[in-house]
């Protein structure tokens, strides 16, 4: 195994990726946090926090990628930008569908283990519909809405969300992960996941994903986030190596974001967000944990960057 890691470029990249995102997060924290952030576009109801999250925070890894290459004069070889759909179409299909399958599996596990939080009458969805529809809908119609939402999340969300998730994937999977491949694929996937999780910590401490209503808040949330990003990093890292392209990981990340909240439709009461039912919970994320375990077990751990390409 080749243990060579370009430490200098990795450190420069991380300085930019963390520096940009954490400075933007500090601005959010100092201007009201995620909840009381000032509105900057009143006609659209857009807050400063939303602008900073979808801008400098989410795009910090991609910006760091570009800046590191420019500063170190690395060039643009092995940037993982070629889609390679024809050569790697099975990987694209897996990226498109697996996040939904694994998210649903985790939600099922959550409600099976904690059935007191399962609401078969879909009260949450019914209340949401009641805000826009004068009369209540029949039960069949509610389940039809669930089916439509799942279909939309699987078919459309990966593309729409991919416009945003590219900002992260072009950094983590197309730059940092390849730089760590000298440690072997398993270590590269896992270490990228740990770094990715820690990078989220400022917004998690402000209540993102987990809120504050859980035991050990807000400090256990960041640790749970690291576990989640490690498991997802294994999946997205494997997809990137298999395809030799960042785009399946971008699609997979977008698909995950599109379907992640599905379990909340079936919630009754106030479950511990560290557990689920969304995949960022330890139980809700069991699908991704199992997938990561299988990948790590069967993975050829020889170092290398896969089928690279510009």
């Amino acid at each position: 195994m080749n243990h060579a890691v370009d430490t200098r470029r990795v450190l420069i990249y991380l300085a930019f990726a963390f520096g940009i995102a954490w400075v933007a997060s500090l601005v959010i924290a100092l201007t009201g946090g995620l909840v009381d952030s000032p509105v900057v576009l009143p006609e659209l109801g857009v807050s400063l926090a939303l602008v900073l999250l979808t801008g400098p925070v989410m795009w910090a890894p991609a910006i760091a990628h570009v800046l590191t290459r420019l500063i170190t004069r690395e060039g643009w070889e092995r940037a993982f930008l070629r889609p390679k759909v024809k050569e790697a179409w099975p990987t694209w299909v897996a990226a498109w569908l697996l996040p939904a399958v694994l998210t649903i599996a985790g939600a099922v596990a959550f409600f099976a283990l904690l059935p007191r939080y399962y609401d078969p009458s879909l009260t949450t969805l019914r209340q949401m519909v009641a805000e826009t529809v004068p009369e209540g809908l029949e039960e069949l119609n509610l389940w039809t809405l669930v089916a439509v939402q799942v279909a939309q999340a699987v078919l459309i969300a990966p593309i729409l969300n991919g416009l945003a998730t590219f900002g992260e994937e072009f950094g983590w999977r197309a730059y940092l992960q390849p730089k760590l491949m000298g440690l072997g694929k398993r270590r590269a996937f896992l270490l990228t996941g740990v770094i990715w999780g820690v990078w989220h910590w400022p917004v998690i401490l402000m209540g993102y994903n987990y809120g504050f209503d859980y035991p050990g808040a807000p400090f256990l949330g960041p640790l749970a986030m690291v576990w989640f990003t490690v498991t997802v990093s294994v999946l997205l890292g494997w997809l990137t190596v298999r395809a030799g392209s960042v785009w399946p990981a971008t699609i997979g990340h977008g698909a995950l974001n599109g379907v992640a909240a599905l379990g909340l439709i079936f919630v009754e009461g106030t479950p511990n967000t560290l557990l689920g039912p969304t995949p960022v919970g330890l139980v809700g994320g069991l699908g991704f944990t199992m997938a990561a375990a299988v990948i790590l077990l069967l993975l050829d751990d020889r170092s290398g960057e896969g089928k690279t390409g510009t």
Side-chain angles (χ1 to χ4, degrees):
M1 181 182 295
N2 176 17
H3 292 275
V5 173
D6 193 337
T7 305
R8 173 173 169 266
R9 286 193 170 100
V10 167
L11 292 177
I12 292 172
Y13 167 79
L14 292 178
F16 280 123
F18 277 76
I20 295 169
W22 283 24
V23 167
S25 298
L26 179 61
V27 173
I28 295 174
L30 294 176
T31 56
L34 299 176
V35 177
D36 298 319
S37 179
V39 176
V40 293
L41 295 174
E43 62 279 7
L44 299 176
V46 175
S47 68
L48 176 62
L50 180 60
V51 171
L52 293 176
L53 282 175
T54 58
V57 174
M58 291 187 67
W59 281 84
I63 296 170
H65 180 165
V66 174
L67 290 176
T68 304
R69 285 186 183 272
L70 292 176
I71 289 173
T72 63
R73 300 181 180 180
E74 184 175 353
W76 290 96
E77 293 183 2
R78 296 177 295 191
F80 288 80
L81 283 173
R82 286 181 57 196
K84 299 187 178 182
V85 178
K86 184 177 180 180
E87 305 98 309
W89 67 265
T91 305
W92 279 75
V93 173
W96 211 293
L97 299 180
L98 272 178
V101 173
L102 299 177
T103 297
I104 292 172
V108 170
F110 176 83
F111 290 120
L113 292 173
L114 299 166
R116 66 183 180 277
Y117 293 118
Y118 177 65
D119 178 18
S121 63
L122 305 179
T123 303
T124 299
L125 181 59
R126 191 182 302 278
Q127 292 174 347
M128 292 171 59
V129 170
E131 295 178 359
T132 56
V133 179
E135 297 181 2
L137 296 178
E138 298 295 331
E139 194 72 16
L140 178 61
N141 291 333
L142 291 179
W143 284 100
T144 300
L145 288 176
V146 172
V148 169
Q149 181 171 339
V150 172
Q152 180 273 336
V154 172
L155 300 177
I156 302 175
I159 297 177
L160 296 180
N161 292 339
L163 299 173
T165 58
F166 177 78
E168 290 192 54
E169 295 309 316
F170 189 55
W172 306 126
R173 249 59 64 179
Y175 193 81
L176 178 61
Q177 177 177 289
K179 288 289 183 288
L180 299 177
M181 278 296 186
L183 302 174
K185 293 187 182 74
R186 289 191 181 91
R187 292 180 181 177
F189 294 169
L190 294 172
L191 184 55
T192 299
V194 171
I195 293 170
W196 185 25
V198 173
W199 176 83
H200 281 87
W201 279 5
V203 294
I204 301 300
L205 288 170
M206 285 187 276
Y208 195 75
N209 282 132
Y210 300 98
F212 299 105
D213 190 20
Y214 61 84
F219 302 108
L220 291 184
L223 298 180
M225 189 64 186
V226 169
W227 177 261
F228 170 69
T229 54
V230 165
T231 61
V232 176
S233 178
V234 172
L235 174 62
L236 298 182
W238 173 74
L239 291 171
T240 303
V241 170
R242 290 278 297 179
S245 171
V246 71
W247 295 107
T250 300
I251 291 295
H253 192 163
L256 169 59
N257 287 358
V259 77
L262 180 63
L264 297 176
I265 294 175
F266 303 92
V267 166
E268 181 177 48
T270 307
N272 183 342
T273 53
L274 293 180
L275 300 179
T278 67
V280 297
L282 298 179
V283 179
L286 279 177
F288 288 93
T289 300
M290 296 301 296
V294 171
I295 291 171
L296 292 174
L297 180 64
L298 301 179
L299 189 66
D300 179 356
D301 197 37
R302 289 174 295 179
S303 62
E305 297 182 1
K307 305 171 185 176
T308 59
T310 57

